[in-house]
Amino acid sequence: MATLPEMIDASTPFEVTADFVPRGDQPEAIRQLTEGVQEGLHYQTLLGVTGSGKTYSMAKIVEGVQRPTLVIAPNKTLAAQLASEFRDFFPKNAVEYFVSYYDYYQPEAYVPKTDTYIEKDADVNDEIDKLRHSATRALMTRRDVLIVASVSCIYGLGSPDEYYSFVETVRRGERKNRNRLVRRLIEMQYERNDFDLARARFRIRGDTLELLPAYEDAAVRIEFFGDEVERIVELDPLTGELLADRQRVDIYPAKHFVTSAEKIDAAIADIETELEERLAFFREQGRVLEAQRLEHRTRYDMEMLRETGYCAGVENYSQPLGRRPRHSAPWTLLDYFPDDFLLILDESHMAIPQLRAMYHGDMSRKNVLVDFGFRLPSAIDNRPLNFDEVELRINQALFISATPGPYEMQRSERVVEQVIRPTGLLDPTIEVKQTKGQIDDLLDQLARRVAKGQRALVTTLTKRMAEELTDYLREMNVKVHYLHSEIDTLERIEILRDLRLGVYDVVVGINLLREGLDLPEVSLVAILDADKEGYLRSATSLIQTVGRAARHVEGHVVMYADRVTDSMRRCIDETYRRREIQERFNTEHGIQPEGIQKAVHDITERIREVAEPKAAYNVRREMSKDDLARAVKELESEMRSAAKKLEFEKAAALRDEMIELKRLVAAQEVVMRGERGERAGRASA
């Protein structure tokens, strides 16, 4: 783990801000888990049902233990949702978001059977990259840090000690040579551009240096008088407005992979040695093609490293550049945390299998690249941690899930239940029906729910069945849509939103209808082929699917099956056990169950925010070129603002609108060139 630098400040204590207090069994769960952390228990589990306020309990535990915290979620969408909620709970503290910065990622690969080489192709999201840098910087400067990350946080990140050694501090009034500072910024992977000041770039105007750090929105202007730093100013990079005078500024590297010139020279020598050994190996085997491709590629990378300190795919040389022993574990985000950090694994029944799988999937791809001469053997050391290495880096962990897996239950020294919902809502009732005539019965069930203005989810086992059932229901005049993995992420969100709005009454899907869906209008969940044992019909999957009906007062589940499997029985028993606990609590406290009221107008407002720029497109077609250019700038600013707030759907829509306007500008230029050509032709005639 990283040793926190001496410059770390006292920070602001974690303090939860909320309009409510713990209720139901939240107080006892928070107390037991907080005490468990303070007592030094290594692993604990919070078994929390849907709608019981698990995120609020997590926040209260963090407030109780006052430690830097890493929350790992199984996907980006859930991570963004958690980050947004934690920012609301901790407005005075550093809540950061750390996920893969690729909007699109095609890893480098080779398919020997067809002799197909697939070059790495990626589209980096600049805003997410900035948030990643903001997260590591926060860990270096304060204790009140909560980072919400996806499982990609176990990928290599660069040495925390090396990263911190590159931090350049500039103080007002000190003597500092400007040219040396410029060279230092270049070593830190900042790019000089005297015309366009963008993230991770700097420019020089006379005795003034302006820099936009890789982790902030505000730029910094450093004014020199000779070799003296005369003034340090924070400013808006777009408008140039001065925001504040500063006495000092700490500039962190523009990339997490930074290496000193001495280490680069040593690394190049190691790469040269390894290359010669590998070339000799291939030539002894008569594999001339593999030797030639490896030598060509590696020598080019070495030249780029020698001249610029960086090369495309530099992460493949992380082992020699980091001066790590061969086959050693890479540095990751976990190494940036202090030793006493707290790890929270949300939806742990999904997150833990993902953490286990990432290493093996990466290894199988890398071994092929090495075997066929596309990479040196040391490239294998650029990898995610294996699960044993993850465990070694865990100080104390909390597993959060409605359905903890065997790993959590076996390892946990304390398991605490949180099954009482503050709203008094009960788990849904469950009914098992024969598969004979199931579609006709399903139509009847759906008709009764639709008549009450309620919604329904239907789960199938295959994509084909989901699509065919959707077509049949549509023929029966049911407002329905299907949902599966081939549908784009944003379109999935729109379909579920339309379900809430009543555009559809029913959505048919597969496993996408399990965790993380907040659909209070859904009162019926129908599970087809519930007795087909397997991943999608395991006890864990069934309990999660049943939970989708737990946000409605009339929640009901129909399982279509010809027999009751062990998984079905465990699901039914667990659901009714939780239902009885909630009923007793409601009776003792005089609570009347209330459905979750999540106003649909919140959603329509977001739709309108996305739709309005599109409606404005037709108006903008008539705008002048200068007005269009200003509109593009405004949309870019709005897009960055939306991304900063983790509203990626809105940011994507604004990006698309900005691209359309840029096309209009280009089209206007073509028309103007044509008109100028016609005028020139008439003049010459």
Side-chain angles (χ1 to χ4, degrees):
M1 302 295 174
T3 303
L4 288 172
E6 295 180 2
M7 62 168 283
I8 196 166
D9 61 23
S11 300
T12 303
F14 281 112
E15 182 180 352
V16 172
T17 300
D19 296 329
F20 44 86
V21 296
R23 295 167 58 191
D25 51 5
Q26 281 180 329
E28 183 62 17
I30 293 167
R31 183 189 66 79
Q32 287 194 46
L33 293 171
T34 302
E35 288 180 356
V37 174
Q38 293 169 339
E39 291 167 7
L41 298 185
H42 197 48
Y43 294 120
Q44 299 181 88
T45 292
L46 173 61
L47 196 162
V49 302
T50 301
S52 63
K54 297 191 290 290
T55 306
Y56 178 63
S57 295
M58 284 189 264
K60 293 296 289 183
I61 292 166
V62 172
E63 179 187 50
V65 301
Q66 293 292 323
R67 295 188 190 176
T69 302
L70 172 63
V71 180
I72 297 181
N75 56 63
K76 284 185 180 182
T77 303
L78 184 55
Q81 178 184 322
L82 285 171
S84 179
E85 292 175 2
F86 278 122
R87 282 179 178 174
D88 289 339
F89 286 136
F90 295 118
K92 300 177 183 177
N93 308 110
V95 176
E96 306 289 347
Y97 181 64
F98 189 100
V99 299
S100 169
Y101 51 35
Y102 296 116
D103 282 336
Y104 166 77
Y105 181 64
Q106 170 60 61
E108 181 184 29
Y110 179 66
V111 184
K113 187 175 181 179
T114 59
D115 190 27
T116 304
Y117 172 68
I118 304 168
E119 193 170 357
K120 176 182 174 181
D121 186 16
D123 184 12
V124 174
N125 186 309
D126 195 59
E127 187 65 28
I128 292 180
D129 187 35
K130 183 183 75 175
L131 293 174
R132 287 164 62 92
H133 280 278
S134 177
T136 51
R137 173 176 175 259
L139 285 170
M140 294 290 185
T141 57
R142 55 197 299 174
R143 289 270 302 174
D144 60 326
V145 180
L146 186 150
I147 296 177
V148 182
S150 64
V151 291
S152 62
C153 67
I154 66 169
Y155 268 90
L157 196 61
S159 166
D161 292 333
E162 191 77 6
Y163 178 79
Y164 184 70
S165 72
F166 271 81
V167 176
E168 184 71 15
T169 300
V170 182
R171 295 178 178 83
R172 183 175 177 176
E174 75 170 336
R175 296 190 63 80
K176 184 177 287 286
N177 183 276
R178 192 203 66 177
N179 292 336
R180 288 179 184 169
L181 177 59
V182 168
R183 284 195 293 272
R184 184 64 169 170
L185 291 175
I186 292 172
E187 289 176 358
M188 295 161 66
Q189 301 300 323
Y190 281 90
E191 175 188 336
R192 178 172 177 175
N193 189 313
D194 290 343
F195 301 99
D196 180 21
L197 183 63
R199 195 181 73 84
R201 291 180 181 175
F202 68 94
R203 66 186 177 198
I204 297 173
R205 294 177 175 175
D207 288 336
T208 299
L209 183 149
E210 292 181 343
L211 169 83
L212 186 54
Y215 42 85
E216 286 185 347
D217 292 321
V220 175
R221 177 183 293 162
I222 303 172
E223 299 176 3
F224 290 86
F225 183 77
D227 281 345
E228 181 182 341
V229 178
E230 188 175 40
R231 190 184 184 195
I232 304 174
V233 177
E234 190 176 292
L235 68 151
D236 186 308
L238 186 62
T239 65
E241 177 187 359
L242 300 184
L243 301 176
D245 272 305
R246 296 173 65 169
Q247 291 299 314
R248 63 175 278 175
V249 60
D250 297 310
I251 305 170
Y252 285 74
K255 297 184 185 297
H256 286 108
F257 288 98
V258 285
T259 310
S260 65
E262 295 78 11
K263 287 188 176 181
I264 289 176
D265 290 339
I268 290 173
D270 288 351
I271 295 169
E272 178 75 45
T273 301
E274 185 183 9
L275 175 62
E276 293 299 333
E277 292 173 357
R278 192 64 177 169
L279 291 177
F281 169 79
F282 281 135
R283 287 164 181 158
E284 283 174 10
Q285 294 190 335
R287 299 171 68 183
V288 179
L289 175 62
E290 286 82 355
Q292 189 275 335
R293 73 162 57 116
L294 181 64
E295 182 172 24
H296 175 77
R297 153 180 301 225
T298 307
R299 292 204 182 281
Y300 176 79
D301 288 345
M302 289 165 60
E303 187 64 23
M304 291 297 294
L305 284 170
R306 192 176 287 114
E307 295 299 324
T308 68
Y310 194 78
C311 70
V314 67
E315 63 274 6
N316 289 292
Y317 303 102
S318 60
Q319 180 266 323
L321 286 170
R323 315 309 298 146
R324 290 191 286 118
R326 284 296 308 277
H327 311 301
S328 61
W331 292 289
T332 67
L333 178 66
L334 301 178
D335 296 297
Y336 283 70
F337 277 87
D339 291 335
D340 65 342
F341 85 106
L342 175 66
L343 172 66
I344 298 177
L345 279 159
D346 194 37
E347 302 291 357
S348 60
H349 65 282
M350 292 180 65
I352 288 175
Q354 285 186 12
L355 291 171
R356 289 182 184 276
M358 290 177 76
Y359 171 80
H360 298 289
D362 191 75
M363 283 298 99
S364 62
R365 179 178 59 84
K366 287 275 181 61
N367 283 327
V368 173
L369 289 169
V370 170
D371 289 344
F372 287 87
F374 290 94
R375 289 291 173 192
L376 290 172
S378 60
I380 290 176
D381 291 332
N382 167 45
R383 57 174 177 81
L385 299 174
N386 62 46
F387 195 68
D388 290 339
E389 292 165 343
V390 173
E391 286 186 305
L392 288 174
R393 285 156 177 75
I394 295 175
N395 171 49
Q396 290 178 282
L398 295 181
F399 304 120
I400 314 293
S401 176
T403 53
Y407 177 87
E408 299 96 290
M409 300 305 289
Q410 292 168 7
R411 295 299 182 95
S412 292
E413 299 155 89
R414 179 173 295 170
V415 178
V416 180
E417 284 196 327
Q418 186 172 297
V419 298
I420 296 172
R421 299 180 178 89
T423 57
L425 274 176
L426 302 169
D427 278 82
T429 53
I430 300 178
E431 178 180 15
V432 180
K433 291 194 170 188
Q434 293 291 311
T435 58
K436 184 178 180 179
Q438 63 181 356
I439 302 303
D440 290 335
D441 184 79
L442 176 62
L443 274 169
D444 180 60
Q445 297 274 355
L446 295 176
R448 281 187 274 165
R449 297 290 167 168
V450 171
K452 295 180 180 181
Q454 299 168 5
R455 314 281 186 266
L457 301 177
V458 181
T459 67
T460 67
L461 282 175
T462 65
K463 296 175 184 177
R464 180 180 175 184
M465 186 175 180
E467 293 176 5
E468 290 180 351
L469 179 58
T470 298
D471 291 339
Y472 178 77
L473 293 176
R474 191 175 290 125
E475 289 174 5
M476 296 294 104
N477 296 317
V478 176
K479 295 188 293 184
V480 61
H481 206 292
Y482 65 82
L483 193 70
H484 55 58
S485 59
E486 291 181 8
I487 294 176
D488 292 339
T489 302
L490 291 182
E491 190 179 349
R492 292 179 214 170
I493 296 169
E494 291 169 1
I495 291 168
L496 294 172
R497 174 184 293 151
D498 287 345
L499 177 71
R500 292 204 60 201
L501 291 169
V503 175
Y504 308 117
D505 292 320
V506 182
V507 166
V508 181
I510 312 174
N511 63 330
L512 296 174
L513 297 178
R514 294 193 289 113
E515 300 89 348
L517 293 188
D518 185 2
L519 304 169
E521 292 79 14
V522 170
S523 64
L524 174 69
V525 172
I527 305 174
L528 302 182
D529 298 311
D531 55 354
K532 299 295 189 293
E533 283 274 19
Y535 170 69
L536 294 176
R537 296 296 181 262
S538 66
T540 296
S541 291
L542 289 172
I543 291 171
Q544 290 285 350
T545 303
V546 165
R548 297 315 102 207
R551 296 179 182 272
H552 199 284
V553 174
E554 298 182 40
H556 184 65
V557 176
V558 179
M559 294 182 179
Y560 291 100
D562 293 323
R563 64 190 179 96
V564 177
T565 64
D566 181 58
S567 295
M568 289 171 62
R569 173 55 55 198
R570 287 162 57 197
C571 170
I572 293 168
D573 290 347
E574 178 63 15
T575 300
Y576 276 94
R577 183 186 74 84
R578 295 174 180 180
R579 186 179 171 90
E580 289 170 9
I581 293 173
Q582 185 74 58
E583 282 179 329
R584 282 199 306 270
F585 182 84
N586 290 354
T587 302
E588 291 172 7
H589 296 83
I591 295 175
Q592 186 68 29
E594 300 176 7
I596 295 174
Q597 302 296 321
K598 190 167 184 179
V600 180
H601 67 75
D602 290 343
I603 292 177
T604 58
E605 285 170 5
R606 291 207 299 273
I607 291 174
R608 190 161 56 246
E609 287 175 350
V610 173
E612 279 175 352
K614 294 181 178 178
Y617 176 67
N618 291 329
V619 176
R620 288 171 174 166
R621 288 176 66 91
E622 309 302 323
M623 293 167 62
S624 69
K625 179 183 173 183
D626 290 342
D627 288 340
L628 280 174
R630 280 192 289 272
V632 168
K633 282 287 187 184
E634 290 172 5
L635 283 171
E636 184 176 6
S637 178
E638 291 175 25
M639 178 189 71
R640 293 184 180 281
S641 176
K644 183 180 179 182
K645 297 174 184 175
L646 307 182
E647 297 172 353
F648 297 116
E649 180 184 352
K650 180 180 177 182
L654 290 167
R655 177 201 61 200
D656 293 343
E657 173 62 9
M658 185 174 68
I659 291 170
E660 289 298 326
L661 289 189
K662 287 182 177 179
R663 287 175 181 161
L664 278 180
V665 172
Q668 282 191 2
E669 289 178 349
V670 170
V671 171
M672 289 172 65
R673 283 198 298 270
E675 290 175 349
R676 286 196 296 268
E678 288 179 7
R679 286 197 297 270
R682 286 197 298 269
S684 62

